[in-house]
Structure formats: structure tokens, C-alpha cells
Amino acid sequence: MVGILPLVETRGFASGKLISRRLSSLPRTPVAGVLADDREAAASLVRAAVEHVDTRPGFHLQLKAQATELDGLVNRVTRRPWRMSYAYQLPADPAEIRFGSSREHAAIKRAVNKARRSGVRVREAHSLQDLRCWYQLYLETMRTNAVPPRPVRFFEALWRNTRDAPLMQVLLAESAGRLIAGSIFLEFGGTMFYAFNGRRSDALSARPNDAIHWEAIQRACTAGYRTYDLGEVPAGNDGLAQYKRKWSNQVRMLYRYTYPSDAEAPQTPRGRAPFLEAAQSVWRRLPLAATAQLGDRIYARL
């Protein structure tokens, strides 16, 4: 075996609308695609995928990449910018952890110290019950962001299938005995990935997310990981981009390769349509249980 290209039939959004069916490279992560010993093997796999799509009217191909390694491999397979991704390259010694300039590093330390003074303590989740309590915060966060939440069974499956490896950590921030924030981290191949977050909006002033990131980075460095990956940011979300940038020392563009070349329009920041604004306003007023049910149905179609 000299290469592999796993694909899954799915749907997705492009330019704010549901697009036709596609074959998308696995796993369902921001970066995934061709694994091959050389460009010749990679080209053979991509050509086979293109030929398969050509036999399925209405389908298109999507390959996810973090660099430009698929450029020029196959005719009409086109690369487009997708999202910016943020990461921190970890030093060998936790004592050498620094974030940007002295001023930027001091600002992060002030936020972490404020969390400590506010009584925020970070611990690891130890049970499914901990995970289910965190899920309520996640639902609240997704409702505020007007984004459909993933179903609780998704996170329970993650817990059952990755905890013993170990490939997953759930860090919880508590204050005065109350859970106020939590994040899920996935671990593999020398990298700790920041994957999902939930927090109480009325506790943000205590800086629980800063305390969680600080703890996670210390743990990743001590465990010998090389990279702390904060993930990607959709175009136009400047606040989230600024937050992730302050923890990062590496910013890179992620790409999508599509076939046919006009299968998806490039993502560009746009003013929100009145219908979208109305839908988001309604979503933010729904009960959490309703958003969970709707999210389950929506992700079943994506």
C-alpha cells in the first residue's frame, strides 16, 4: 500500500447555503485528505476520486488540506482558501512558554491571575456525568453564537472511544462549586487540539477560558506535545480570531480542493442577509432542549 483516500458522502454549507451532495475526505476534521508516499500515488488517488464523482450526477469532491500539496495534481481540481488556523509551537520546557511580546504575554498572565483571584479552579472531568454537565454550557454557548450544537451522543461516543487511549481531555473551570466553563481537547501525533468549548455568559468576567487555555498549554508542554492547535476561525469572526491569535505563534491558511472547480464559491465576509439575521434572533430565544433536538437533525443532513 502506497496511499489511501477515505471519503464520506455528506452535505455542507458554502456561501451561506446548503449545497448539493459531495464526497468529502475523512476524517471529519478541518484538515484531512490524501495520505500517500509520493505525488504519483497521491495523483492516482485523486484521479480515481474524480472518476468516481463523474459517475454520480449532482455530486462534487472536497479534499481538505493545510498546505498546497495537491496543486497541479489533477486537472480541474481547484484550491481555494478556506479559513485561517491558529497554533502555538510548544517549547521543550514549560518555563519557556511565552506569548508574543512582553506586553502581550503580561496581558495573558493578568487574565489568568484574575481568574485565580476570582476563585476559578481548573480540573479534569472524570465521568460521563461531568461531560453531561459540560454539555449544558456548550448548548448555551452555541445558542448565543446562533450555531446548531452537536448532539450529546456525539460527545458521549468521543468519551467512550478515546478516553482510555488516551486521546481526549475535558478540562472544567469551576468557581464556588459551580461549573462555569469547560473545553474538550483531542490529542494525537504530538499535537493537542482545542476542539469544543462551553461557558456561562454571566461568568466571562472571571476569565475561565483563559484559565483553561493556560492549564491546557502547561499540560501539553509537560506531556511532550509539540503543538497546541487552537483551530480555525470562519471569515469575518474578528473577535474570535483576535482571541486565538493572542495564544498563537503560528498562523496559517487552510485550503479546500474541489472538483468540479466551480463546485463551491470561495468564502468571503459579507453583510448578513435579513433572513439570516431573523433566523439567528429566533434561534437565540429557543429553549436549550429545542436547540439540541434541532442540532441533532441538522447534523444528520450535513
Side-chain angles (χ1 to χ4, degrees):
M1 182 180 293
V2 295
I4 184 171
L5 175 55
L7 301 168
V8 63
E9 181 179 329
T10 182
R11 290 176 180 263
F13 287 95
S15 299
K17 62 181 180 179
L18 189 67
I19 60 176
S20 60
R21 291 179 294 177
R22 67 186 179 194
L23 290 178
S24 180
S25 54
L26 284 172
R28 290 297 299 273
T29 51
V31 177
V34 181
L35 296 176
D37 287 347
D38 51 47
R39 282 181 63 84
E40 182 180 356
S44 296
L45 289 166
V46 175
R47 278 195 296 269
V50 165
E51 292 169 1
H52 185 62
V53 167
D54 283 340
T55 67
R56 308 187 71 179
F59 274 78
H60 75 272
L61 177 67
Q62 182 196 71
L63 305 176
K64 297 170 279 187
Q66 63 181 345
T68 57
E69 65 267 21
L70 302 183
D71 281 2
L73 277 184
V74 177
N75 187 37
R76 292 188 65 203
V77 175
T78 304
R79 170 174 59 87
R80 290 191 173 98
W82 184 56
R83 293 176 178 176
M84 299 301 296
S85 179
Y86 300 83
Y88 180 67
Q89 299 303 309
L90 295 162
D93 184 353
E96 297 177 0
I97 292 175
R98 300 284 301 177
F99 300 101
S101 67
S102 298
R103 189 176 191 179
E104 291 165 334
H105 184 80
I108 287 179
K109 288 297 296 289
R110 284 196 299 271
V112 174
N113 289 334
K114 180 179 180 180
R116 291 170 178 166
R117 291 194 303 271
S118 300
V120 176
R121 297 294 180 265
V122 178
R123 69 171 178 90
E124 188 172 354
H126 296 297
S127 67
L128 268 175
Q129 183 58 34
D130 278 343
L131 182 70
R132 289 165 182 156
C133 290
W134 168 85
Y135 185 71
Q136 296 305 306
L137 302 188
Y138 168 75
L139 288 179
E140 179 184 336
T141 303
M142 293 296 99
R143 182 175 65 180
T144 300
N145 295 337
V147 175
R150 294 181 183 272
V152 66
R153 56 189 170 85
F154 167 78
F155 296 105
E156 291 177 348
L158 270 180
W159 179 275
R160 294 189 180 99
N161 291 296
T162 64
R163 280 282 298 171
D164 292 338
L167 298 171
M168 172 183 176
Q169 285 190 54
V170 183
L171 296 183
L172 306 175
E174 297 175 328
S175 178
R178 184 175 74 140
L179 180 63
I180 60 174
S183 297
I184 291 180
F185 300 88
L186 304 178
E187 306 164 44
F188 186 74
T191 300
M192 177 181 280
F193 300 89
Y194 168 59
F196 302 97
N197 173 258
R199 79 292 183 277
R200 293 187 184 277
S201 57
D202 61 358
L204 289 176
S205 61
R207 311 304 289 268
N209 286 329
D210 291 293
I212 289 173
H213 279 297
W214 182 268
E215 176 68 18
I217 288 171
Q218 301 294 322
R219 287 177 176 231
C221 191
T222 300
Y225 288 105
R226 299 185 299 274
T227 304
Y228 182 78
D229 193 325
L230 290 113
E232 78 283 359
V233 175
N237 196 334
D238 296 335
L240 182 58
Q242 182 177 359
Y243 182 81
K244 291 189 175 185
R245 188 180 294 110
K246 76 176 185 178
W247 293 96
S248 306
N249 56 16
Q250 181 185 78
V251 180
R252 61 186 178 181
M253 176 63 71
L254 301 182
Y255 297 95
R256 292 292 181 263
Y257 287 83
T258 59
Y259 173 85
S261 59
D262 58 351
E264 294 183 7
Q267 290 194 352
T268 56
R270 299 180 301 163
R272 294 186 298 176
F275 173 78
L276 179 59
E277 291 182 342
Q280 290 175 333
S281 178
V282 170
W283 187 275
R284 293 187 177 108
R285 289 171 170 79
L286 292 175
L288 293 182
T291 66
Q293 293 175 2
L294 290 171
D296 196 348
R297 294 183 181 183
I298 290 169
Y299 277 104
R301 292 182 56 83
L302 294 182

